Every structure is written in structure tokens, then in C-alpha cells.
Amino acid sequence: MCGIVGYIGTQQAAPLLLEGLGRLEHRGYDSAGMAVLGTGGALRVAKRSGRVRDLAEEVPARFGGKVGIGHTRWATHGPATDHNAHPHTDGAGRVAVVHNGILDNASSLRAMLTDDGVELTSDTDTEVLAHLVARSGAETLEGRVADALSAVEGTYGLAVVHADFPDRIVVARNGSPLIVGVGDKEMHVASDLAALVRYTTTVAYLDDGEMATVTAQGFTTYRHDTAQLHRTHRDAARVDVDPAAYEIGEHESFMHAEMLEQPRAAERVLRGRLDERFGTSHLGGLNLDARELRAIRRVKILGCGSAYYVGQMGASMIEELARIPADAEAASEFRYRDPVIEPDTLYVAVSQSGETIDTLLAVQEIRRKGGRVVGLVNVVGSAIARECDGGIYLHAGPEVAVASTKALTTMFLAFSLLALQLGRVRDLSIADGKRLIAGLQQLPEQIQSVLDRDDELAEVAKRLAVSDSLFFIGRVRGFPVAREGAQKFKEITYRHAEAYQTSELKHGPLALISEDVPTVALVPDDELVERNVAALHEIAARRGPLVVVTHEGVDLGDLSAAPGMHRIDVPRNEREIDPILLTIPLQVLAYHAAKHLGLDADKPRNLAKSVTVE
């Protein structure tokens, strides 16, 4: 969840490291730091708690050197303080290490080092790596890093510089992403493509268990097995990405820009994948033919956070259209219950970054037991994409804000395409297939019509922002929407927001309804509309303020005159597709509530974009 950058070449490293760290703040922003090897191999370190801009103010005017590594932190071991910020060094100031991940045996290693007389200066697990590298007797830096890694257990993406080896950076990966970027007589290292795109789009992704030596002339990769190094062959490849996509442009925040981009992102994920003639979808990346698709008897969807909630939406759609059992489960819990992996089940891993460690580990568990797993990911070449048997790329474009908007929308549409294809190889009629395709083709324009009501939604958001606690409610198709709405609100406004099935209110939560607890209710025009409206009357009778997200024409009776009532109509699509249109206004409400409270929607406290630690 932290960010790593590195540079070696002909330019001064410090400005490049600072710029790269600024682009990685979505991965961690508790503290930041960098280490530079200057003339003669002198190692200089600058680090401090706070944002990258605070670090920039701390860096001395003379901080020269053409080799360096940097880090922006999301705290795991130890609070966000100056001494816990990365890079971490050995006692002699010869080795500097930046590290993402968690070392599971850090406590025992710290105790061992302390018993040997080493004075540790931080609370982190990472500091032990610097001392282990320094204590190795290997002749090369690669050997010393391999020695250190042979002693640790856990996950890591790391970069190491050493004053005795000023011509190189050594990097390694196990469970936390690392990318090597190839330039002209210079090389870059990063944990995320965002830090590299201004300088190069020719990159190599390291696999788990792989190391690389990076010099100004190129890179060499290895696998390490009990400190032994074995050369591997890895070529760099050009990635198709527009550097401008990582710029905020004229927008006030990345989240705002990414919300507004949703109509275009929806067009991209659908482009070339709809077959109007046969009322189905084309998903060649699944690597499954019609016979194999028809043999699937169950679908299990795995994701975390918003990916889990959109997975619930997808599961509901697959059951409706394909008439096979489907459900979603939190990937973080999946492998710990020793799941039964069925040969006729299709497992679907969902992750924007493609690096979410809980989801990646679930994929590996499925593959270890012989299951078939496909991925819904946004980042080409990511770990989950490489581990899966096939998949659907989301084509959302880079998503920088921690709270997912356009990626979530494209995930929903990817599930729509999957459900359509599964349905059409079974009993879904061509007429229903064409009906759904027509609905999907309308979506970009309908999403835009919701976003065009920004001013109205901003006013509603101000009313919600002043409440310390809120409910989000929905039924069946609407319940995952309510869960996602509550997630958005809590993560960027820091207000307590809880999602419940509307039908469950009377079984407990109704006790909390009062004038101070608003309810955001999802009321689509479906077979449950009358029951949903009846539940809203129960809330209004207890003077609970209501924000009702519904369809034009839905009769809410005398609720329109209830105190604190506001109605938000969204465009009507096919019932199976309606959940995503109900989700869009909830994103906008959360964003404007955070803005009204003076909070940074892009960087909510205690959270980071890519969760690469368990």
C-alpha cells in the first residue's frame, strides 16, 4: 500500500524521486523519504512524517546524486513519525532500504538483532532488512539482499542501495508489485506505473520470488532460493498508456475527474464486445469456448471493498440471466476457511489494481487446488492478470483517487457482459439478449445525465454531511448498491454509514432512526417497489430524514411532504442494469459531502489505493 520509486542514470535523482513520490501518494501518505548516493558513494537520507510536499521542504538545497530510492508510506508497524518513515538504514549509514509489505517474523528478527547489540531506531519491520543486508558476508549486493531475504517471512516489494555498490539498485518482489522502467542511459524503479509514465512506458514487471539488479545501462533478473541466485529471462515491453491520463488537469481532484469520466469509460469497456446480431457479448480474453461456458455450474466472485460489493451486483445479474448459482465473497476471508474448489465452478477475481494482496492470494489458492479462475482487472500486466487463466480488462484508464468510481462502473459492465454471454449459451433468448444490449448502449448517456445534476446533488450532500451517522438501505438488486454507497460515504467523509437490507429495518436498526439519522434509500421501479415504499413510511413515521434514489414515475405517496425528504430520480434502464445508475448519485453525494467538510476526497485518512498487505 506504500509507494516506491528509484532512479539511476545521468540526471540528479532527488527531483525525479520527489516527482515520482508525488504521483504515488494515493498509495500512502503518512510519511515520505528518500536516500541518494552522492559523489564517492556517500549515502544521504531525508525523510519526515506528512505529505510529499512536507518532505520537499525538508530536502537540503545540496542533495546531489544520480542514484536514489524513495518511499511514501502507509503505516503498518509503528505510527507515522519521522523515525518510522522510509528509507531505513543500517547503523553505519551504508545501506538504505525502502519496503512495501509486511514481514511476518519481524519480531523475532528484531529480537535477534537486539541480542547481538544492534540498536534499532524505529518501530518498523523494514529496519531489520537494512541490518540483515549490512551483516551479510556476500561479495555482491545481489548476494547480500538474497541472504537477507532468505531470513525473512512475509510479503515485500523492496529497493536497496549500498554505499559500497554505487552503480546499482537491487530490487525484489514477493506479493507486492515492482516495475522496472527502461530509459535512455537511465533506469527507473516503481511500485506503480504512475511514477514512470512521464519518463518511460517501456517496463518489465517482476514476478513473486524475483530480484533485479538495475544499473544505468539496463537490468538483470534473478530468482533466489535459499540465498542462491538463478538468472531469469525477462524482457521489457511497451505499455499502451497516455501519460496525460495520470494528470489532474483542470479538475479540483482526481475523484472529481474520475467521476466525470465514467460515460467515456463505459463506452471503452463495451466497445467491440457487443454482438447485436446474436444478442450476446464477445469476451475472447476469457479463453473459454461455448462448450466450456455451458459446462459451468456455479460462479464464485472474489473481491475486497468496492470490488466485493460490485461482485454482489454481478452475482445477482448472473443468476438472473444465466440461471446458475452465483455469489460473491470477501477475498480476504476466502482462503482462510479452506474452501472446497469445484471443477465446474468459474471463479472470478475482481481488482482495479490487479495487485490486491487478499485477492491475489485467493487466486493462488484456487489455482493450487486446480480451479479455473478469471480476472476482472484494470491494469494490464498486473499480478492477478498474470496469475489468472483468462479475464476481462476494464479499460477504465488510470484511477488515482482512493475511492473507486469509474473502475467500479466498468466492473459492473464487465459483469454485465459476462452474465450476458453465460446466459446466451444457456436459455436466455435472443430477444432478451438484444434487450440488454440496447440497455447497455444507453448507459453512457444516462450516466452523463446523472452527473449533469451535480448542483442539485451537492445541496443534498450538504444536508447529509452534518449528520454523524447515516443508513443506506436497499433490497435484492438494491442492497449491494446500498453497501457501496455506505462505503463511499464513510471512507471519504469519516461519517458512520451503515448499509442494511430494507426488509431488515424492523428487525433491529429501526431503533436508531431519529431526526438526527438520515436514511438514503434505493427504490428502483421493480417488483419490490410497494414494499420498499412501505418501509420508507416506517422511517418517516419516526421523523427520520429521507433521501430516496428512485425512478421517475414511482409513486411515493404522501412521503413527498415528509420533513427532511428529498427525491433523486435516475434514468430508467433494464432492471438488471439499473443498479449501476442507482450507484452514480451515491458517488456524487459522498464526494460533495467530503468537499463540504473540507476533506481531501483523493486521500482519505488511514486508507490507500492499492491494498498490498494482509
Side-chain angles (χ1 to χ4, degrees):
M1 293 174 69
C2 310
I4 287 175
V5 294
Y7 174 80
I8 182 168
T10 58
Q11 302 184 63
Q12 290 296 316
L16 300 177
L17 296 176
L18 284 170
E19 196 274 338
L21 290 175
R23 289 174 173 270
L24 294 186
E25 273 202 298
H26 61 291
R27 297 182 69 100
Y29 32 88
D30 293 336
S31 58
M34 59 183 178
V36 170
L37 286 172
T39 305
L43 182 65
R44 304 183 67 189
V45 176
K47 59 182 185 176
R48 64 166 297 174
S49 60
R51 299 288 179 89
V52 173
R53 60 175 179 265
D54 301 315
L55 171 64
E57 295 172 358
E58 188 86 0
V59 175
R62 294 180 178 274
F63 203 74
K66 298 178 181 180
V67 182
I69 54 176
H71 189 270
T72 182
R73 183 174 185 246
W74 182 83
T76 54
H77 288 67
T81 60
D82 290 354
H83 67 269
N84 285 335
H86 296 216
H88 289 285
T89 62
D90 67 312
R94 305 293 290 171
V95 179
V97 178
V98 293
H99 165 232
N100 295 346
I102 292 180
L103 305 183
D104 297 331
N105 61 336
S107 295
S108 60
L109 291 173
R110 287 176 64 91
M112 180 269 290
L113 290 169
T114 301
D115 289 344
D116 284 352
V118 174
E119 184 177 347
L120 298 172
T121 60
S122 78
D123 307 310
T124 70
D125 53 345
T126 302
E127 189 182 359
V128 302
L129 285 168
H131 288 280
L132 292 174
V133 171
R135 289 157 65 93
S136 168
E139 295 181 357
T140 65
L141 181 54
E142 297 83 356
R144 296 183 187 193
V145 174
D147 279 349
L149 294 180
S150 69
V152 305
E153 300 168 6
T155 58
Y156 51 80
L158 60 88
V160 182
V161 292
H162 196 303
D164 294 344
F165 305 91
D167 65 336
R168 64 195 55 201
I169 303 170
V170 172
V171 298
R173 171 195 171 135
N174 184 47
S176 193
L178 264 181
I179 309 168
V180 177
V182 179
D184 182 14
K185 297 180 181 179
E186 64 180 16
M187 298 287 290
H188 302 264
V189 172
S191 53
D192 191 303
L193 192 61
L196 304 180
V197 291
R198 280 194 61 187
Y199 309 108
T200 181
T201 55
T202 301
V203 302
Y205 293 85
L206 296 191
D207 281 337
D208 282 349
E210 199 165 28
M211 289 174 52
T213 300
V214 183
T215 69
Q217 288 72 42
F219 69 99
T220 306
T221 56
Y222 311 86
R223 295 197 72 81
H224 61 90
D225 179 17
T226 60
Q228 296 298 310
L229 297 177
H230 308 279
R231 286 283 297 272
T232 59
H233 180 74
R234 182 163 301 284
D235 291 326
R238 188 175 180 83
V239 292
D240 183 16
V241 62
D242 180 4
Y246 287 91
E247 303 289 346
I248 199 169
E250 299 178 353
H251 297 282
E252 56 196 18
S253 68
F254 277 106
M255 184 176 178
H256 187 247
E258 289 157 9
M259 285 195 305
L260 297 182
E261 197 186 340
Q262 288 179 104
R264 294 181 296 281
E267 290 172 350
R268 289 195 296 270
V269 74
L270 295 174
R271 187 175 298 136
R273 288 170 163 170
L274 296 175
D275 184 342
E276 295 182 66
R277 179 184 178 189
F278 293 106
T280 187
S281 61
H282 288 303
L283 296 172
L286 291 178
N287 299 324
L288 295 167
D289 60 26
R291 188 184 301 273
E292 291 171 310
L293 287 168
R294 190 168 177 82
I296 293 167
R297 292 290 172 261
R298 183 185 302 274
V299 176
K300 166 72 76 172
I301 299 167
L302 301 168
C304 298
S306 291
Y308 168 38
Y309 302 142
V310 78
Q312 290 185 311
M313 299 180 204
S316 175
M317 199 182 326
I318 289 168
E319 284 206 342
E320 283 192 77
L321 299 182
R323 303 309 300 157
I324 57 176
D327 69 300
E329 182 175 344
S332 53
E333 296 295 300
F334 177 73
R335 73 188 182 108
Y336 289 106
R337 61 175 183 80
D338 192 19
V340 175
I341 303 301
E342 301 165 309
D344 54 1
T345 293
L346 178 66
Y347 296 88
V348 184
V350 192
S351 168
Q352 187 282 138
S353 68
E355 302 287 352
T356 307
I357 189 65
D358 293 306
T359 309
L360 176 60
L361 292 172
V363 169
Q364 293 170 344
E365 176 75 358
I366 294 164
R367 288 178 60 83
R368 186 181 68 81
K369 293 183 174 181
R372 172 174 283 167
V373 57
V374 298
L376 265 65
V377 300
N378 192 37
V379 180
V380 176
S382 57
I384 292 173
R386 298 199 307 274
E387 286 272 358
C388 287
D389 299 299
I392 307 172
Y393 280 117
L394 303 178
H395 300 300
E399 189 177 67
V400 175
V402 169
S404 181
T405 53
K406 64 177 182 176
L408 179 137
T409 296
T410 55
M411 287 173 186
F412 179 89
L413 295 180
F415 277 121
S416 302
L417 296 170
L418 178 60
L420 179 58
Q421 191 170 52
L422 286 170
R424 287 291 290 126
V425 299
R426 286 176 171 77
D427 300 324
L428 187 71
S429 71
I430 190 170
D432 274 331
K434 290 184 174 182
R435 169 180 65 84
L436 291 161
I437 286 175
L440 291 170
Q441 290 171 329
Q442 292 181 67
L443 262 180
E445 183 179 348
Q446 291 180 317
I447 292 171
Q448 186 62 57
S449 72
V450 177
L451 296 171
D452 287 342
R453 299 170 63 185
D454 189 74
D455 291 343
E456 173 197 347
L457 294 170
E459 288 303 312
V460 178
K462 290 178 184 177
R463 293 168 42 199
L464 296 177
V466 299
S467 300
D468 292 329
S469 187
L470 303 87
F471 278 118
F472 286 73
I473 60 172
R475 293 194 72 170
V476 188
R477 300 182 194 95
F479 178 54
V481 178
R483 297 190 77 181
E484 168 57 20
Q487 169 96 344
K488 281 287 174 293
F489 212 86
K490 72 181 68 168
E491 68 183 342
I492 64 172
T493 70
Y494 317 147
R495 297 304 198 230
H496 173 252
E498 191 168 2
Y500 264 95
Q501 293 102 329
T502 308
S503 55
E504 283 293 295
L505 279 176
K506 57 185 174 292
H507 295 292
L510 204 59
L512 297 177
I513 295 296
S514 72
E515 295 178 359
D516 300 320
V517 181
T519 299
V520 180
L522 287 309
V523 186
D525 190 7
D526 60 13
E527 66 276 13
L528 291 169
V529 64
E530 292 180 358
R531 294 187 180 277
N532 277 325
V533 171
L536 301 190
H537 279 279
E538 296 175 358
I539 295 170
R542 290 152 180 83
R543 305 187 65 80
L546 278 165
V547 173
V548 181
V549 183
T550 186
H551 289 127
E552 186 177 357
V554 169
D555 184 7
L556 300 181
D558 57 2
L559 283 174
S560 300
M565 165 72 185
H566 190 95
R567 175 178 181 144
I568 300 170
D569 286 338
V570 299
R572 189 188 310 267
N573 200 300
E574 302 301 327
R575 287 186 178 183
E576 299 91 342
I577 300 171
D578 278 334
I580 197 59
L581 286 166
L582 297 168
T583 301
I584 304 298
L586 305 187
Q587 298 173 353
V588 182
L589 288 174
Y591 173 75
H592 280 293
K595 182 178 177 182
H596 179 69
L597 293 167
L599 302 171
D600 185 347
D602 285 347
K603 301 180 181 69
R605 70 187 183 198
N606 303 334
L607 300 177
K609 181 64 178 174
S610 181
V611 183
T612 57
V613 296
E614 283 197 271

